[in-house]
Amino acid sequence: DIECAPDAADAPPGPAAGVFTVARRLSLKRDGPDGFVTAPVDGPNLPDDLVERLLRGGGCAVAADGEHVHPTFAYWTIAALQATEPAFRASGSPSLLRLAELTGAVRVVWPNAAAFANINSHEDLERLTLDAPHTPASD
């Protein structure tokens, strides 16, 4: 089943609103999951092994390449989000990077930074189509 969940009115601001909203909704489900994966809709090169590798650590995890962390590509545990929500709110930051720090998310590194490209403009799309074809990264 696919369920649409608009950000909760009382969720923390910014991009973390969706993360906290999903965590709350899933925590209410009987026999619900321990966590969930997030990925942006404007990330067309999603690595084939993203979910598998993010889940290996057992706790929160964020994707990274050699230079950058990409916290929109992440695995979040409901327990960690519930435990850190007060500290996240108190931090005053809407940053997913800050949320990853507070939850103790490990960084899972892929060698191919293009795996985390995102498309925010027509120029981004043109640049992406000019790049070499995406091939899934391996361990």
Side-chain angles (χ1 to χ4, degrees):
D1 291 340
I2 296 177
E3 185 178 332
C4 181
D7 293 346
D10 65 339
V19 173
F20 282 104
T21 297
V22 170
R24 285 183 198 163
R25 290 181 73 123
L26 291 175
S27 72
L28 299 174
K29 292 191 178 284
R30 186 175 185 188
D31 298 322
D34 293 332
F36 57 95
V37 173
T38 58
V41 297
D42 62 352
N45 291 340
L46 189 72
D48 292 338
D49 59 352
L50 179 74
V51 173
E52 174 190 340
R53 292 191 57 206
L54 289 174
L55 292 176
R56 281 186 194 160
C60 294
V62 293
D65 60 46
E67 296 181 29
H68 301 97
V69 177
H70 305 280
T72 55
F73 296 86
Y75 174 69
W76 306 100
T77 66
I78 294 167
L81 291 168
Q82 290 172 332
T84 59
E85 185 173 354
F88 182 75
R89 285 179 181 277
S91 76
S93 171
S95 165
L96 288 178
L97 282 173
R98 180 69 181 133
L99 182 58
E101 291 169 6
L102 289 170
T103 60
V106 297
R107 293 180 181 185
V108 180
V109 179
W110 275 261
N112 183 359
F116 306 107
N118 67 41
I119 307 300
N120 294 315
S121 67
H122 184 69
E123 291 77 21
D124 290 343
L125 180 59
E126 286 178 352
R127 195 170 25 258
L128 184 68
T129 58
L130 294 175
D131 290 343
H134 170 67
T135 55
S138 60
D139 288 340

